[in-house]
Amino acid sequence: MSAEVDKLLHGLVQGIRPQVGERADALLGRLRDELPDFWEHEDLAVLALHEITGHLTTFLDLLDGQVAMDEVEPPELAMEVSRECARRGLPLSGLLRAYRIGHMILLRQMQAEAARLTDDTQLVSDIVTRMTDSGFAYVDIGSEQVVTAYQEERERRLRQRLAMTDAAGRRIGTTLDITRTAEELVEVGTEDFADLVAVDLLDSAVSETPEPHHRAPDDALLRRVALGTPGAVQDCPAGVPAHRYPEGSMQERALRSGQPVLRIGVEPGGSAPWEPEAGDSVLLLPLQARGAVLGLVQLFRGHSAAPFDHDDLSLGQEIAARAAVSIDNARRYTHERLTALTLQRSLLPQRPVRSAVVETAARYLPSGGRAGLGGDWYDVIPLSGARVALVVGDVAGRGLEAAAAMGRLRMAVRAFADIDLMPDELLTHLDDVVIRLSREEGRNEGGLSATCLYAVYDASTRTCSLASAGHVLPALATASRPDASSGSVAKSVGFLDIPMGPPLGVGGLPFETAQFDVPEGSLLAFYTDGLIGSGASGETGSRAVLREHLAAAPESLDAVCDGLLDALVPDQPVDDTTVLVARTRALDPRHISVLDVPSDPAAVSRARRFAADRLEEWGLEDLSFATELIVSELVTNAVRYGRSPIQLRMILQASLTCEVSDASSTAPHLRRARTFDEGGRGLLLVAQMADRWGTRHSRDGKVIWAEQPIPREDDGSRGGVQAVPGVDLTITVPTTPSPLPEVTGGAAHGRYGTPLRRR
């Protein structure tokens, strides 16, 4: 019986061999009907047709005895179909089912053929049994190898995907620069993935002001920010005009819908960076982060490479999502940095402060790293009596929060400077402000903290009073001796060694004012720790460089500031840097006149004569009426309510200042006298006659001062009082000295003496 089975099987195989192609085509058709979703890819169906032909030939050889079961090998094309299914993400179960269905169909066809060759039912049954055993054995062998090939390809692609994902995580977003982040996306995308990558961002995402929308508008403007091929990223100049995708193009549809597009054989006429040909494939991946559409990344493969598949689409989406977050981070950082920088610069002095007592120059240099802007600030505040306040501070923190806090502290310093507090008292009040702000903002731990240095230079005495709240102390460069050969003046540079208080915000600890002499023409260099803490040589080396540059400082203070920044600050500083340089001037002794006033009402007339004589000596007779009235009122109040010693001091600089000092700590305040009051109008008269007036306190008492502008021929001045349109300056001078207005103690902590401007 075995011989008869072999003979009949041989005849059956020989009859089927010429029909292998036709039977393979018919078998594929049946498989299409059974598994329609599995064969939706035409290129895979063509490949499967050749695979089925190979399977039929191998199976017929097995039945005909030309190959033993232990030697049978499925065709290599079957392995390629398996790998292709793995690449396209087709399920392995579908592939194995196709194998079982195909072999069952083939066995039924061969059973029908065997029945036509013989009427012996037993022989047909034996033939069917042998074909079934051989068929299932062949399916088992083929399935095992197909599964192995499928899993190997999936693992390979998984490793590739993990490698690309890891590379994207490591290499995309290394900076907070939008263009560089897009270029990093191009570099990753063109490594064993795409032949060309283009990144287009919405103009609103690249610009500084508008926020991107949750969906791209129909007429969205885009800018090409990165373009590259394997190993080469092309420059995309910032000046390239913005463009729009053609209406109805796949790029426009993908950007508007926010859905990715996988296309093989892309149509010409879109916004592709090359002209596509038949067989080219493209991935269009919208860049979306935090609900906002940022742009579109286009990935292209030429027809010579394997087209993109669904695995590639999934991988591309993951990389694009990572890149979109990095681009959005860079965009947000850039926007916040520009906003903070604009805010910070708007809060700093907008132009050099002109002062008769110091010449100043300053620079603010923002940090260049990821840390963001800090809270550095500086200020130059003119004070009464030929004095000026020089301020440098640094708020801990970064970004808009630090810039806003800096602005609030700077305004607080100006307000305290207006009431002429001593440096240590000013820092004490500023410390209270910082603590209060921390409580208001709910900063229980690690609250608002800042450093500040407040110095007051007095040109009349050539002294500087200074207090520091945790801030680095300034350097002082004084002229020592002229150089006989060059005629230049050498400078001796030192760093002040005075007590330093705690940073602002600590609370409960005292500050101390130190006073030191400052020769005329000296340089005071104030700075933040970014100047001496950013260099590679460390703080000690930076101080040595600072000393060297100040010793050879040029005449121009702007050049001094620029030289210090060039020498001490790296190209990408990690911290903000502020430099304030002041060259001191001394007041001409001929422009200062002092009179000791006895505590006697009769001394008031002598003080008036003294003031008139000084004005005549200085050629300011036009100011006599207003000045004598101011001096009379201030001296009268000091004699009646103050304590000896009493002193009148007149200072001529850009304005005329009259100061009356006494040993009393109480200060008068301005009040409105009633109609029939015999006194109470003294300070009102002073306020009307002077441009500014105020009170400042010292360890020995108080000083009440009043400033008048120097009249010019073209400013409409008469008798030292400027004519102000719409203001009645008619004054009735009483025949008896007016009493002092009401006074209140505790002026050091009150609001008395706030400088008033004439209305």
Side-chain angles (χ1 to χ4, degrees), residues 379-718:
D379 211 344
V380 180
I381 308 172
L383 301 176
S384 63
R387 297 173 309 126
V388 63
L390 304 168
V391 190
V392 179
D394 185 1
V395 175
R398 300 289 176 183
L400 283 172
E401 187 177 355
M406 176 272 288
R408 299 169 80 175
L409 293 188
R410 179 172 178 256
M411 292 302 103
V413 170
R414 279 192 161 259
F416 294 141
D418 256 356
I419 57 177
D420 252 331
L421 294 177
M422 294 188 65
D424 59 324
E425 293 178 356
L426 184 144
L427 292 182
T428 300
H429 285 283
L430 194 62
D431 188 40
D432 292 338
V433 169
V434 171
I435 294 173
R436 185 169 63 252
L437 289 177
S438 294
R439 291 173 179 169
E440 290 174 356
E441 295 173 4
R443 304 188 187 192
N444 297 325
E445 296 183 4
L448 179 63
S449 178
T451 65
C452 182
L453 188 146
Y454 185 83
V456 176
Y457 172 67
D458 190 338
S460 63
T461 60
R462 301 187 185 94
T463 59
C464 182
S465 301
L466 181 149
S468 171
H471 199 88
V472 289
L473 298 173
L476 175 63
T478 57
S480 56
R481 61 187 185 281
D483 189 333
S485 59
S486 62
S488 62
V489 178
K491 294 182 178 63
S492 174
V493 182
F495 294 93
L496 298 178
D497 184 14
I498 58 178
M500 181 186 297
L504 300 172
V506 175
L509 298 176
F511 301 97
E512 184 175 343
T513 297
Q515 184 169 310
F516 53 93
D517 295 330
V518 182
E520 182 179 4
S522 298
L523 282 181
L524 277 167
F526 303 87
Y527 48 88
T528 56
D529 52 7
L531 185 69
I532 60 174
S534 301
S537 57
E539 183 174 342
T540 303
S542 297
R543 283 178 176 270
V545 175
L546 177 61
R547 185 192 302 270
E548 178 183 344
H549 274 71
L550 290 180
E555 185 66 23
S556 170
L557 295 186
D558 288 321
V560 174
C561 292
D562 293 338
L564 291 176
L565 293 179
D566 291 342
L568 292 171
V569 181
D571 293 336
Q572 292 292 323
V574 297
D575 194 8
D576 290 17
T577 302
T578 294
V579 178
L580 172 62
V581 179
R583 178 178 285 120
T584 61
R585 297 170 178 168
L587 200 61
D588 189 339
R590 294 172 298 178
H591 290 173
I592 304 175
S593 190
V594 179
L595 173 67
D596 292 325
V597 180
S599 184
D600 182 358
V604 175
S605 60
R606 179 186 170 192
R608 286 198 298 268
R609 288 194 303 271
F610 174 81
D613 292 342
R614 295 293 80 73
L615 294 178
E616 182 179 359
E617 179 182 337
W618 292 335
L620 298 176
E621 292 87 347
D622 289 345
L623 294 180
S624 293
F625 174 76
T627 303
E628 289 185 40
L629 182 59
I630 290 172
V631 168
S632 177
E633 293 297 334
L634 296 183
V635 172
T636 298
N637 288 344
V639 169
R640 286 187 176 183
Y641 302 101
R643 292 204 307 264
S644 296
I646 302 171
Q647 189 178 77
L648 167 65
R649 187 170 72 154
M650 299 178 65
I651 302 173
L652 175 62
Q653 42 176 349
S655 60
L656 176 65
T657 303
C658 297
E659 299 180 346
V660 175
S661 62
D662 66 80
S664 173
S665 60
T666 59
H669 65 275
L670 190 67
R671 70 177 178 87
R672 183 175 295 279
R674 292 170 296 183
T675 304
F676 298 104
D677 286 350
E678 295 184 359
R681 299 178 180 84
L683 287 184
L684 176 63
L685 293 177
V686 172
Q688 292 292 329
M689 292 296 180
D691 186 52
R692 295 196 313 153
W693 76 279
T695 304
R696 68 175 183 267
H697 293 264
S698 66
R699 305 290 187 215
D700 302 323
K702 68 175 182 298
V703 176
I704 304 178
W705 54 269
E707 286 185 2
Q708 301 174 78
I710 303 299
R712 300 187 303 272
E713 294 181 359
D714 57 349
D715 67 358
S717 299
R718 298 191 306 273

Side-chain angles (χ1 to χ4, degrees), residues 112-351:
E113 289 293 331
R116 285 196 295 269
L117 293 177
T118 181
D119 294 332
D120 188 344
T121 57
Q122 182 62 41
L123 183 58
V124 171
S125 176
D126 291 342
I127 291 174
V128 170
T129 300
R130 181 180 292 187
M131 287 193 303
T132 302
D133 292 342
S134 299
F136 279 105
Y138 180 77
V139 169
D140 289 342
I141 294 173
S143 297
E144 183 179 350
Q145 296 187 14
V146 163
V147 168
T148 301
Y150 185 95
Q151 291 176 340
E152 288 177 349
E153 180 63 22
R154 291 296 296 175
E155 291 174 0
R156 186 190 68 81
R157 291 180 66 81
L158 180 60
R159 288 193 299 271
Q160 180 187 24
R161 178 170 181 168
L162 291 175
M164 282 201 66
T165 304
D166 179 66
R170 288 184 294 103
R171 296 170 53 188
I172 298 177
T174 60
T175 69
L176 287 171
D177 179 80
I178 295 176
T179 301
R180 180 56 194 150
T181 302
E183 291 174 349
E184 290 168 345
L185 172 58
V186 170
E187 291 171 356
V188 172
T190 53
E191 285 188 3
D192 300 325
F193 190 69
D195 295 326
L196 189 141
V197 178
V199 180
D200 295 337
L201 297 182
L202 290 174
D203 189 54
S204 59
V206 180
S207 61
E208 299 174 5
T209 46
E211 284 285 324
H213 303 283
H214 68 280
R215 60 179 293 272
D218 295 337
D219 59 345
L221 275 174
L222 298 107
R223 294 189 182 276
R224 175 78 35 92
V225 294
L227 175 69
T229 55
V233 177
Q234 302 178 19
D235 291 333
C236 294
V240 174
H243 65 276
R244 290 183 173 88
Y245 294 136
E247 185 176 358
S249 66
M250 58 181 178
Q251 286 86 358
E252 187 264 344
R253 294 195 300 269
L255 185 65
R256 183 158 40 86
S257 67
Q259 297 300 316
V261 172
L262 168 60
R263 187 71 62 86
I264 300 174
V266 296
E267 71 272 13
S271 181
W274 65 20
E275 190 64 26
E277 301 176 357
D280 290 352
S281 62
V282 62
L283 274 180
L284 302 180
L285 304 172
L287 294 169
Q288 302 180 82
R290 301 180 178 95
V293 177
L294 305 176
L296 185 72
V297 55
Q298 305 178 63
L299 301 98
F300 295 87
R301 280 183 186 172
H303 62 275
S304 60
F308 289 116
D309 55 32
H310 289 281
D311 257 4
D312 293 327
L313 174 60
S314 177
L315 175 59
Q317 285 182 282
E318 187 170 349
I319 295 175
R322 288 174 176 265
V325 172
S326 296
I327 290 174
D328 190 54
N329 289 340
R331 180 189 64 81
R332 289 169 177 266
Y333 167 79
T334 301
H335 179 68
E336 181 176 342
R337 177 181 172 82
L338 290 173
T339 303
L341 186 58
T342 301
L343 173 63
Q344 190 158 22
R345 285 181 169 164
S346 69
L347 295 174
L348 294 175
Q350 299 301 302
R351 58 184 61 88

